[in-house]
Amino acid sequence: NAGVTQTPKFQVLKTGQSMTLQCAQDMNHNSMYWYRQDPGMGLRLIYYSASEGTTDKGEVPNGYNVSRLNKREFSLRLESAAPSQTSVYFCASRRQTNQPQHFGDGTRLSIL
Amino acid sequence: AQKITQTQPGMFVQEKEAVTLDCTYDTSDQSYGLFWYKQPSSGEMIFLIYQGSYDEQNATEGRYSLNFQKARKSANLVISASQLGDSAMYFCAMREGGSNYKLTFGKGTLLTVNP
């Protein structure tokens, strides 16, 4: 009954450090997504992967990279963290077009 | 221009009453889909209801219904018989036909249910 699992749940980084957020889904979904949520901004798409082997930029991709490691796993990397990347990060997955996206519980990331 | 507009930053409702959360959208696509999600204070995102642009009837899921007015480009969420556990942030989101894989979210409405 896991659904979408994100690790870690919390992380504090110093400016300039690197970090990879992990996401795995066990629902055999084709598409996976990374969002960030900031106060008053709703959710904004960082990157997505429509299917295994493909990745595309979303609305706010600068400062991030992603890897679709296999059908289950989609990671988000911050190469050189900046305070502006302090946010809550959500991973999501979806089976097909009119199906809802299923979200992980989020990663709360603070960059000092 | 914003694709999804939720004009109510916060709403209050008495327990057991109905409440409508507004959502207007902007798209030139004929094929699109609208979703509502709930985010309680614990932070998880919970899918509530979906309406496709070609669906002839308004979607319903238990106490949730979607008042879909295509000509007005609105997709309001109606919660009947509000419960204390309905207190949460509610997000409207749209999938456009030209970008089948992406959702665009509104900024959300914070609903507080008073006893």
Side-chain angles (χ1 to χ4, degrees):
Chain A
N1 225 19
V4 179
T5 303
Q6 290 184 236
T7 54
K9 295 193 183 308
F10 304 94
Q11 185 69 47
V12 179
L13 294 177
K14 294 181 179 178
T15 298
Q17 287 185 316
S18 60
M19 170 82 189
T20 298
L21 307 185
Q22 306 287 353
C23 175
Q25 53 91 9
D26 62 1
M27 296 174 284
N28 201 34
H29 286 175
N30 293 316
S31 305
M32 297 186 73
Y33 306 82
W34 276 105
Y35 293 90
R36 60 177 289 173
Q37 183 178 25
D38 302 298
M41 298 293 292
L43 275 77
R44 292 183 293 169
L45 183 64
I46 305 171
Y47 270 93
Y48 68 101
S49 171
S51 60
E52 186 179 355
T54 68
T55 61
D56 284 285
K57 295 178 180 180
E59 182 184 354
V60 288
N62 291 345
Y64 305 96
N65 286 302
V66 291
S67 295
R68 183 75 183 266
L69 304 170
N70 47 55
K71 191 170 186 178
R72 290 186 63 248
E73 298 173 287
F74 189 39
S75 62
L76 178 72
R77 183 160 177 84
L78 288 71
E79 290 291 352
S80 179
S84 61
Q85 294 177 305
T86 293
S87 189
V88 180
Y89 291 84
F90 285 97
C91 178
S93 70
R94 185 193 69 176
R95 187 175 60 177
Q96 59 189 35
T97 299
N98 290 332
Q99 298 294 311
Q101 293 184 11
H102 295 261
F103 286 80
D105 289 340
T107 294
R108 191 172 294 275
L109 183 62
S110 294
I111 298 158
L112 307 177
Chain B
Q2 287 188 40
K3 288 187 176 288
I4 293 286
T5 302
Q6 295 182 251
T7 57
Q8 307 151 314
M11 287 281 288
F12 293 89
V13 65
Q14 288 297 121
E15 195 177 7
K16 300 180 185 177
E17 292 185 350
V19 62
T20 297
L21 306 183
D22 294 342
C23 173
T24 57
Y25 58 91
D26 180 24
T27 183
S28 56
D29 290 338
Q30 296 300 309
S31 173
Y32 53 90
L34 297 152
F35 299 79
W36 277 91
Y37 284 84
K38 171 184 178 181
Q39 186 178 42
S41 58
S42 51
E44 71 269 30
M45 295 287 289
I46 302 167
F47 165 70
L48 295 178
I49 197 166
Y50 167 78
Q51 179 85 42
S53 59
Y54 293 122
D55 294 343
E56 293 186 353
Q57 298 208 350
N58 287 344
T60 60
E61 289 286 348
R63 294 188 298 112
Y64 304 109
S65 59
L66 203 152
N67 184 2
F68 182 47
Q69 299 189 40
K70 199 169 182 176
R72 293 186 176 185
K73 293 188 175 179
S74 74
N76 298 338
L77 177 70
V78 181
I79 305 174
S80 63
S82 297
Q83 301 172 357
L84 296 178
D86 294 334
S87 293
M89 198 74 169
Y90 289 81
F91 291 97
C92 179
M94 177 174 64
R95 170 198 61 77
E96 293 181 90
S99 54
N100 279 330
Y101 299 102
K102 299 187 287 187
L103 287 183
T104 302
F105 283 81
K107 295 184 178 182
T109 295
L110 181 61
L111 176 66
T112 302
V113 180
N114 293 318

